[in-house]
Amino acid sequence: MKRDNNHLQHNPSSSLCGGSSAGKAKLWEEEAAQQDCGMDELLAVLGYKVKTSDMAEVAQKLEQLEEVMCIAQDDGISHLASETVHFNPSDLSTWLESMLSEFNPPSSFDPFGAAGTTAGVMGTLDDPFVGGPAESSTLTTLDIENNNRKHQKRGPHILDEASCSDYDLKAIPGKAIYSQDTQTQPQTHDSSSSSTHNNNVKSEKRLKSTSGSHSGIFSPPPPAAVSSGIPTDSVRPVVLVDSQENGIRLVHALMACAEAVQQNNLNLAEALVKQIGFLAISQAGAMRKVATYFAEALARRIYRLYTQNPLDHSLSDVLHMHFYEACPYLKFAHFTANQAILEAFEGKKRVHVIDFSMNQGMQWPALMQALALRAGGPPAFRLTGIGPPSHDNSDHLQEVGWKLAQLAEKIHVEFEYRGFVANSLADLDASMLDLRPSEVEAVAVNSVFELHKLLAWPGAIDKVFSVVKQMKPEIVTIVEQEANHNGLVFLDRFTEALHYYSTLFDSLEGSVSCQDKVMSEVYLGKQICNVVACEGADRVERHESLTQWRNRFGSAGFSPVHLGSNAFKQASMLLALFNGGEGYGVEENNGCLMLGWHNRPLITTSAWKPAIETTATSTITN
């Protein structure tokens, strides 16, 4: 199989397609001399066990195998035709010897007698579809007889030759790949008829169907093509590749690239991130998307292409709303937090909610309606919304307040609103919030996906905890991602993030609205880029697990508030609205509620209140 691999070489002007075996052997011998005679590093990552000292020999064997397959007739290799072929090509040299012995070429065969036979050596080694460390690969061959009928077949569709990239293996729908037709120029300028015949023989070799209707893998060229001298471009070999095996190779390539980044081996990381992009094409659904986002994040880290400008607030709000509609995570967060606040406000005449994550205020209409239906009449409701500044200097928080005020008027709830713009929650001070005595007004503090951002600045989270305690709230409701993306070791963070976001993307596949799903993937992709590509104060997506938050709140002087069974039951009912609840699950964890996908917790709601401070008294007796 031949292709041009110039884009993977250090010298762009060199071409492997027309080179000689001696030139290739010399090139690999020079590379082997520069290494420690161990296994080749790039090939080892892809699953091949090839010593650098054996590279020239492996190249020659590959060329021999290619030449044999080009000149062999049906009678010579019909015994190799079968429905499936199982092999382990990790030991490349031994595998090539066995294949050559199976073909048993004629004694007159000269592997170095024709020019242009070295193409495809590096292509075979570097190709991510066939270069994985699979213990058992399943290859199936199909024969497409007429290019004009390619879209009518039930099997894989074939891409047009003009759309092919430098790779000769091209991913196409149906998890199929094919090789481009290549022609070898004759070594000597003989008669026109002889040259035409040789080119036709080269171009007309093709794979035959293994369905049992043909006797061998290869067939002679069609008579019409022979008589006319026109290459049979309409016939291309198609090889179906096991998508599951490619998925395993893709994950291995992602992990190997992350490890290379951690070890600051940027040359290897750069080569691997290119392989990741090519491998991702063969995947479908969530795996393809999440791998693409992680590949982009790795590339940004490798090339240091960090995002200079923060995400525009209006775009952030749009992505946030689509994520709200596409999946139940934000609805679950709002519902469980509101239920805890509603129970804490029971019997209170005046209530005040301080929201650290105001956004579009989507959480509060439901709470206002629940308060309006409360026995004995609704309390006076005051809302303080805190949010980041907008880049267009618009007062978006005030706009949200107007909309909520109109709703309050319709449902007859006394409403008071105030918005605060803050670059960070650490900039807040309790004196700014016009707090009233706890005997007059009950306070609740709410935060959804906000506290983890404070962990980027030393001491910021402790300052916010101190301010919250000064507010003397009845309850503090916290919703955070159930993940650990704040570790010191990059590879650990990467591994955790890969599992976490793969699960999130998988859960989005059941979304009814295609637009909501796509925009939600962009929303999550921004988080992936921040977790993987950024460091220092720029890395704000520092998610921590419930256990870690328990330790932080306990150390800051807060005690947990148990979320009632009523919240658990109603949250479970809420999930039935999304894909019939299939795949989603609610779990109770020591008074906290977790929402997960297929038994993998993804977000957690917890509730807290300042611990009662007791002062020890002593009696002095004389």
Side-chain angles (χ1 to χ4, degrees):
M1 195 173 293
K2 302 182 178 181
R3 67 179 181 180
D4 184 4
N5 270 321
N6 292 343
H7 63 291
L8 294 180
Q9 302 301 316
H10 296 291
N11 183 4
S13 63
S14 63
S15 174
L16 292 176
C17 288
S20 66
S21 60
K24 189 181 306 298
K26 181 178 179 181
L27 174 62
W28 277 341
E29 287 172 358
E30 290 176 355
E31 292 178 355
Q34 296 174 1
Q35 300 185 18
D36 298 330
C37 297
M39 294 295 178
D40 182 79
E41 187 177 18
L42 279 175
L43 295 179
V45 170
L46 296 175
Y48 290 111
K49 300 176 182 178
V50 181
K51 292 184 178 180
T52 54
S53 59
D54 295 338
M55 294 288 275
E57 180 184 355
V58 170
Q60 294 175 3
K61 290 179 180 178
L62 282 168
E63 293 168 12
Q64 293 177 26
L65 180 60
E66 184 180 28
E67 282 296 315
V68 171
M69 295 181 69
C70 287
I71 69 172
Q73 300 298 321
D74 289 339
D75 296 338
I77 58 172
S78 60
H79 62 284
L80 294 179
S82 61
E83 290 294 337
T84 57
V85 180
H86 298 276
F87 59 86
N88 182 3
S90 62
D91 188 351
L92 203 57
S93 181
T94 303
W95 176 75
L96 288 170
E97 290 180 359
S98 64
M99 289 296 293
L100 286 171
S101 64
E102 290 285 347
F103 278 104
N104 191 19
S107 58
S108 61
F109 169 68
D110 182 6
F112 306 106
T117 60
T118 59
V121 177
M122 284 301 294
T124 304
L125 295 179
D126 290 341
D127 197 308
F129 282 102
V130 298
E135 289 298 327
S136 177
S137 300
T138 302
L139 303 181
T140 307
T141 61
L142 298 177
D143 182 25
I144 309 300
E145 295 293 347
N146 193 334
N147 192 41
N148 294 330
R149 296 183 301 165
K150 59 187 177 182
H151 295 295
Q152 301 175 4
K153 281 189 170 287
R154 298 184 62 186
H157 301 298
I158 301 182
L159 296 178
D160 295 333
E161 186 171 359
S163 66
C164 295
S165 66
D166 290 339
Y167 290 94
D168 68 335
L169 292 182
K170 187 73 174 179
I172 62 177
K175 309 166 189 174
I177 52 179
Y178 74 88
S179 62
Q180 291 177 317
D181 295 332
T182 58
Q183 297 184 4
T184 305
Q185 297 295 330
Q187 189 172 12
T188 60
H189 298 281
D190 296 332
S191 64
S192 175
S193 61
S194 175
S195 176
T196 303
H197 175 74
N198 290 338
N199 287 340
N200 288 338
V201 171
K202 288 289 185 180
S203 62
E204 290 158 1
K205 298 299 180 181
R206 58 190 176 87
L207 291 176
K208 294 295 291 181
S209 171
T210 60
S211 62
S213 60
H214 303 283
S215 60
I217 296 178
F218 296 98
S219 71
V226 174
S227 60
S228 63
I230 300 175
T232 57
D233 290 337
S234 62
V235 180
R236 291 193 180 106
V238 176
V239 183
L240 295 185
V241 180
D242 191 335
S243 179
Q244 183 177 4
E245 292 182 359
N246 277 342
I248 295 173
R249 295 184 184 117
L250 178 58
V251 174
H252 288 173
L254 283 165
M255 296 303 301
C257 186
E259 186 173 4
V261 168
Q262 178 171 290
Q263 296 173 354
N264 204 31
N265 188 349
L266 298 185
N267 289 333
L268 176 60
E270 181 180 0
L272 286 169
V273 81
K274 294 177 182 178
Q275 298 287 343
I276 292 168
F278 186 51
L279 277 170
I281 299 176
S282 69
Q283 299 301 301
M287 187 60 188
R288 176 175 181 171
K289 299 168 189 174
V290 75
T292 301
Y293 279 112
F294 272 92
E296 177 189 353
L298 285 169
R300 286 184 175 275
R301 189 179 182 98
I302 293 169
Y303 299 113
R304 300 181 180 179
L305 301 175
Y306 306 121
T307 304
Q308 298 297 325
N309 298 322
L311 191 64
D312 181 74
H313 180 77
S314 58
L315 176 59
S316 178
D317 279 349
V318 169
L319 297 178
H320 189 267
M321 286 188 292
H322 281 291
F323 184 68
Y324 180 88
E325 295 295 337
C327 50
Y329 300 110
L330 282 174
K331 289 183 173 68
F332 171 87
H334 294 169
F335 175 82
T336 51
N338 283 349
Q339 184 65 32
I341 293 172
L342 187 64
E343 294 175 2
F345 282 168
E346 185 177 0
K348 305 295 183 181
K349 297 298 183 181
R350 304 188 68 88
V351 297
H352 182 192
V353 173
I354 301 172
D355 187 10
F356 286 171
S357 48
M358 191 62 187
N359 294 310
Q360 292 297 310
M362 294 181 291
Q363 179 173 349
W364 306 119
L367 178 63
M368 293 168 65
Q369 292 173 349
L371 291 173
L373 298 175
R374 197 175 71 172
F381 181 55
R382 184 156 74 112
L383 178 62
T384 299
I386 301 169
S390 60
H391 298 286
D392 57 359
N393 296 322
S394 63
D395 195 352
H396 61 279
L397 290 178
Q398 197 63 28
E399 294 174 1
V400 172
W402 279 111
K403 294 178 181 179
L404 292 175
Q406 293 174 354
L407 173 63
E409 184 178 1
K410 291 180 180 179
I411 61 177
H412 306 292
V413 172
E414 183 181 343
F415 180 73
E416 184 180 349
Y417 176 81
R418 190 178 181 186
F420 278 96
V421 174
N423 290 311
S424 170
L425 293 177
D427 298 333
L428 292 178
D429 189 88
S431 60
M432 301 165 53
L433 303 177
D434 189 23
L435 297 172
R436 297 163 189 172
S438 57
E439 297 81 7
V440 177
E441 186 177 70
V443 174
V445 177
N446 180 76
S447 174
V448 177
F449 301 154
E450 290 293 333
L451 291 189
H452 65 263
K453 301 176 183 178
L454 296 169
L455 303 178
W457 295 276
I461 188 69
D462 295 327
K463 183 178 184 299
V464 171
F465 281 155
S466 177
V467 172
V468 170
K469 291 179 70 175
Q470 294 176 32
M471 300 175 187
K472 299 180 180 179
E474 295 288 332
I475 194 169
V476 180
T477 51
I478 304 296
V479 182
E480 285 291 336
Q481 290 88 344
E482 184 58 26
N484 183 13
H485 300 153
N486 195 33
L488 298 177
V489 181
F490 170 75
L491 186 59
D492 293 342
R493 295 200 310 267
F494 182 90
T495 304
E496 173 73 12
L498 183 60
H499 286 289
Y500 180 80
Y501 285 103
S502 295
T503 307
L504 262 178
F505 271 71
D506 185 47
S507 69
L508 288 176
E509 289 299 297
S511 178
V512 176
S513 170
C514 181
Q515 183 181 12
D516 287 337
K517 181 175 74 170
V518 171
M519 298 297 280
S520 298
E521 290 165 354
V522 176
Y523 173 82
L524 297 175
K526 299 291 184 182
Q527 296 181 14
I528 292 173
C529 186
N530 189 267
V531 171
V532 175
C534 298
E535 283 296 347
D538 293 329
R539 181 164 62 86
V540 296
E541 300 296 342
R542 296 173 175 259
H543 312 137
E544 291 192 341
S545 64
L546 175 61
T547 301
Q548 292 169 301
W549 284 115
R550 279 193 177 120
N551 294 333
R552 290 188 181 277
F553 274 94
S555 300
F558 289 86
S559 59
V561 175
H562 194 284
L563 297 177
S565 59
N566 189 40
F568 177 86
K569 294 178 181 178
Q570 295 191 40
S572 300
M573 294 174 60
L574 173 69
L575 297 181
L577 301 176
F578 291 87
N579 199 27
E582 183 178 356
Y584 294 104
V586 181
E587 177 185 347
E588 194 273 343
N589 187 315
N590 293 328
C592 304
L593 293 181
M594 294 179 168
L595 173 59
W597 175 256
H598 290 299
N599 300 321
R600 204 300 188 183
L602 295 174
I603 67 170
T604 300
T605 302
S606 60
W608 308 85
K609 64 180 180 181
I612 300 176
E613 298 181 359
T614 58
T615 56
T617 58
S618 61
T619 303
I620 301 177
T621 58
N622 294 326

